Amino acid sequence: MKMKKTMNQSTRSYILNGFSILALLITALLLLFYSNMNSRLYTANQERFDLTYNANRFMNGSSYLTNEVRAYAATGDTVHYDNYWNEVNNLKNRDQGVAAMQEIGITKEEQALIDAMSNLSQELVPLEENAMENVKAGNMKEAVDYVYGKDYDAAITQINSLKSQFLETLDSRTFAEVQGLLQLCNVIKVAIFLALALVCILLVVSIRSTQKRVLRPLVIIRDQMGEISSGNLSSEFPLESDTSEIGMLVKAIHETKRDLKTYIHDIDSKLAQMADGKMNLAIDLDYHGEFLPIQKAMRQILDSLNNALAQIHVTAERVSASSERMASGAQVLSQGAMEQSASIEALASSIQELSHQVTNTSEDAETAHACSTQAAGALMVCDQKLRTLISAMQDISNAASQIGGIIKTIEDISFQTNILALNASVEAARAGEAGKGFAVVANEVQSLANKSAEAAQNTSNLIENSLRMIKQGTALTTDTANSMDEVMTGAKKATELIAQIAESAVQQAQSLNQLTSGMEQISSVIQTNSTTAEESAQSAQELYGQADELKRAVQHFQLREQSALGTGYLR
């Protein structure tokens, strides 16, 4: 918008102040001139007075001489004579009056009148001297004739006429000079009053101009700046800009309000769009001055938010995928833990059954030990009871058959225990870290099963030998006595082996008890793992749901063009 052209306030102030100063200078000069005129008027009045005084002194001196000489001629009194010569020789009022007037200043005309009066006075001197000489001589009548005669009177009349003319001329001239100076003083007074009036008018105009063009706008500007400082940029600002200083200030305020409104509107618009999720904005408005850091900060905020949200978006994708895999794995782990728990329960049941069987085996071993002891006793009395040898051998054969059945049972138990140990090892391997303890127990069970199988095999071999020997004893009853020693030896060995079998059966029972306790602990751990796996599966499912919600929330933001890695953006 084109600004209205107007005079600068400083120029207007300079002009008004210049005129005021000029008027004051003129007033000062008029005052000086008036003071000078007053001095001249006073001097003129003083000179007029002095001229009149000295003119009167001159004329009075001349009249005084006339009066004294006439008095002396009429009376003969020497006082008048002395006074006359005192005036002529000492007082010299006429000469001093003329000298004083000449010193003050008189015109040629006035000087001519003085000269005329002096000449006439000089013409009277011989008459006056003759009169005084006649008075001294006693000729009073002649003396009076000299000073009262026609010649003397005519001269006095002329002198008086010249005196009047001189006084009129002198008074007219001095009066005219005084009047001229007085009129000039009056003119100067009027000029001074006019200059003072002009100064007052200029001061009033300057004050009114300052009040109208400076103070009132400054009050409005002050109120407007107060509104701006309180954040009110929509308040009415009635002043219009022009080319003056105040107008330029008003223009600056209008531009400031416009720029502030533009910046605030732009910031409000950008923040509102950012609040709506539009992060693909560009700070395209150019900020100026102290607002440049705000523009830079907004760009940095947008850049940071785009980077952060892009990273969150990528992370949400990864968390969602990872949580989905975790949920699936947790479900599989929970299912495996439940299956392990069921397998461990079945294994614990089998081990309990095996424990009962081993207990029975231990009892049977003790029974076999008692039988072998009895057999040994029978062999010791076999010499007295040969008749009952066949029956005893049959009993031994039956006992050996029972022992063979027991050995078979032990071998079956050992085989089943070995299979269970293998299954337990497999389950422990599947359980990972949680199944390490169980793997140790399974290895111990397998070791015990191998030992049981080895003992059962040894026992089976011994039983077979015993049966073979019994068969030979039955067949060779006649050789019983000869072979009694050998039988006694075999019986002792059989007794020892059976004792060992009984001891091994007791150890197996103890080991199975420990195995049962370990299986119970493993079952408790697996049950805990199953519960934990179920909780982990539930937590993973919740994490997957939250990651999906985070991904949807991040997708609400409209980001700038993402890079392939999701770690930056393109403008």
Side-chain angles (χ1 to χ4, degrees):
M1 184 179 72
K2 188 176 181 181
M3 291 189 297
K4 181 176 67 175
K5 291 186 177 180
T6 184
M7 183 182 295
N8 290 339
Q9 183 62 34
S10 59
T11 304
R12 182 181 289 103
S13 297
Y14 290 151
I15 293 173
L16 291 174
N17 292 332
F19 279 115
S20 299
I21 292 171
L22 181 60
L24 287 173
L25 289 176
I26 293 172
T27 303
L29 292 175
L30 289 173
L31 287 172
L32 290 175
F33 192 52
Y34 178 75
S35 176
N36 187 27
M37 288 299 103
N38 265 334
S39 297
R40 290 178 61 185
L41 179 61
Y42 175 79
T43 302
N45 284 318
Q46 188 66 36
E47 288 178 352
R48 182 187 180 192
F49 174 80
D50 290 341
L51 286 171
T52 304
Y53 171 77
N54 286 295
N56 288 321
R57 184 180 180 184
F58 166 74
M59 290 182 290
N60 289 332
S62 179
S63 298
Y64 180 78
L65 289 175
T66 300
N67 292 329
E68 288 300 319
V69 74
R70 281 182 172 182
Y72 179 64
T75 62
D77 189 355
T78 58
V79 172
H80 297 291
Y81 177 82
D82 293 335
N83 289 335
Y84 178 89
W85 290 109
N86 183 50
E87 171 65 27
V88 172
N89 296 320
N90 297 323
L91 296 178
K92 301 179 180 180
N93 285 314
R94 291 184 303 170
D95 296 336
Q96 290 182 2
V98 171
M101 286 189 292
Q102 289 176 348
E103 183 180 359
I104 293 170
I106 55 178
T107 64
K108 291 181 179 181
E109 180 183 2
E110 294 169 347
Q111 183 64 44
L113 292 173
I114 292 172
D115 291 341
M117 287 186 290
S118 295
N119 291 330
L120 289 173
S121 295
Q122 289 299 325
E123 291 178 357
L124 293 176
V125 170
L127 295 175
E128 292 172 349
E129 288 179 353
N130 290 328
M132 287 186 289
E133 289 295 330
N134 287 316
V135 170
K136 287 180 180 181
N139 300 321
M140 302 295 294
K141 182 175 182 301
E142 285 83 359
V144 170
D145 289 337
Y146 277 111
V147 293
Y148 286 100
K150 292 180 180 179
D151 294 333
Y152 195 88
D153 288 337
I156 292 300
T157 301
Q158 288 179 2
I159 291 173
N160 289 332
S161 175
L162 290 173
K163 286 182 179 179
S164 298
Q165 184 181 356
F166 176 74
L167 288 175
E168 288 178 2
T169 302
L170 183 62
D171 186 65
S172 298
R173 180 181 67 81
T174 56
F175 180 77
E177 290 179 358
V178 170
Q179 288 297 318
L181 291 173
L182 184 60
Q183 290 178 359
L184 186 58
C185 286
N186 292 331
V187 171
I188 294 174
K189 281 184 180 179
V190 173
I192 291 172
F193 287 137
L194 291 176
L196 290 175
L198 179 61
V199 171
C200 293
I201 291 171
L202 290 174
L203 288 175
V204 170
V205 171
S206 178
I207 292 171
R208 293 294 299 275
S209 176
T210 303
Q211 184 178 9
K212 180 180 178 181
R213 297 181 178 273
V214 177
L215 296 180
R216 289 179 182 175
L218 284 178
V219 171
I220 297 175
I221 290 171
R222 179 202 63 189
D223 297 338
Q224 185 65 28
M225 293 305 294
E227 294 291 335
I228 292 174
S229 65
S230 62
N232 184 12
L233 300 178
S234 300
S235 60
E236 183 181 359
F237 189 40
L239 298 180
E240 296 181 359
S241 60
D242 52 38
T243 57
S244 65
E245 292 87 346
I246 298 296
M248 297 300 291
L249 179 59
V250 170
K251 178 185 177 184
I253 292 174
H254 281 298
E255 291 178 351
T256 300
K257 290 181 65 177
R258 183 178 67 251
D259 291 343
L260 287 176
K261 286 182 179 179
T262 301
Y263 294 152
I264 291 172
H265 176 73
D266 184 67
I267 293 171
D268 179 67
S269 174
K270 293 297 188 296
L271 292 178
Q273 294 182 55
M274 289 168 64
D276 290 337
K278 296 179 181 179
M279 297 298 173
N280 54 351
L281 302 174
I283 308 300
D284 49 3
L285 180 64
D286 291 331
Y287 288 40
H288 301 287
E290 298 297 330
F291 291 93
L292 283 174
I294 297 177
Q295 182 186 29
K296 183 178 179 182
M298 290 181 64
R299 286 178 177 172
Q300 291 178 351
I301 289 171
L302 277 174
D303 294 345
S304 299
L305 287 176
N306 273 272
N307 286 330
L309 290 173
Q311 292 292 340
I312 292 173
H313 180 74
V314 174
T315 304
E317 290 284 350
R318 293 176 180 174
V319 170
S320 178
S322 299
S323 61
E324 185 177 6
R325 290 195 300 270
M326 186 184 295
S328 177
Q331 291 290 342
V332 173
L333 180 61
S334 177
Q335 185 66 28
M338 293 176 65
E339 292 177 357
Q340 286 180 359
S341 178
S343 299
I344 289 298
E345 289 179 357
L347 180 60
S349 178
S350 299
I351 289 174
Q352 288 179 358
E353 183 179 355
L354 178 62
S355 178
H356 290 302
Q357 291 177 359
V358 169
T359 301
N360 292 331
T361 302
S362 178
E363 292 176 355
D364 293 339
E366 289 179 357
T367 302
H369 183 267
C371 291
S372 64
T373 302
Q374 292 176 1
L379 287 173
M380 292 176 67
V381 295
C382 67
D383 288 335
Q384 290 85 13
K385 296 182 178 179
L386 287 175
R387 294 181 180 180
T388 60
L389 180 59
I390 296 174
S391 178
M393 293 299 292
Q394 188 65 38
D395 293 333
I396 292 171
S397 180
N398 293 333
S401 297
Q402 293 177 358
I403 291 171
I406 291 170
I407 294 303
K408 181 66 174 174
T409 301
I410 291 172
E411 289 178 352
D412 292 337
I413 291 171
S414 177
F415 180 74
Q416 290 179 1
T417 302
N418 196 6
I419 291 172
L420 290 174
L422 290 174
N423 290 332
S425 297
V426 172
E427 292 299 326
R430 291 178 61 186
E433 292 294 329
K436 287 184 179 180
F438 182 72
V440 174
V441 175
N443 290 331
E444 292 296 328
V445 171
Q446 187 176 8
S447 177
L448 290 174
N450 291 331
K451 290 180 181 180
S452 298
E454 183 180 358
Q457 184 65 36
N458 293 330
T459 304
S460 177
N461 293 331
L462 292 174
I463 294 299
E464 287 177 359
N465 291 328
S466 297
L467 290 174
R468 186 172 61 253
M469 291 174 67
I470 289 170
K471 289 180 180 179
Q472 289 177 359
T474 303
L476 300 173
T477 305
T478 57
D479 295 334
T480 300
N482 294 329
S483 300
M484 187 62 65
D485 294 335
E486 296 178 359
V487 172
M488 288 297 293
T489 303
K492 289 181 180 179
K493 291 181 179 180
T495 301
E496 292 176 357
L497 290 174
I498 290 172
Q500 292 177 0
I501 291 171
E503 184 178 358
S504 297
V506 172
Q507 292 177 357
Q508 287 179 359
Q510 292 176 354
S511 298
L512 286 174
N513 288 330
Q514 293 177 356
L515 179 61
T516 301
S517 176
M519 291 302 294
E520 289 177 354
Q521 293 178 358
I522 291 171
S523 177
S524 176
V525 171
I526 290 176
Q527 187 66 33
T528 303
N529 290 338
S530 176
T531 303
T532 304
E534 290 180 358
E535 293 176 353
S536 298
Q538 184 178 0
S539 299
Q541 190 65 31
E542 292 178 356
L543 178 61
Y544 174 71
Q546 293 176 357
D548 189 61
E549 290 180 0
L550 177 61
K551 183 171 67 175
R552 287 197 301 272
V554 173
Q555 288 174 351
H556 170 70
F557 295 98
Q558 300 176 9
L559 303 179
R560 297 168 182 171
E561 183 180 353
Q562 303 294 317
S563 65
L565 296 177
T567 58
Y569 62 91
L570 300 175
R571 289 186 179 275

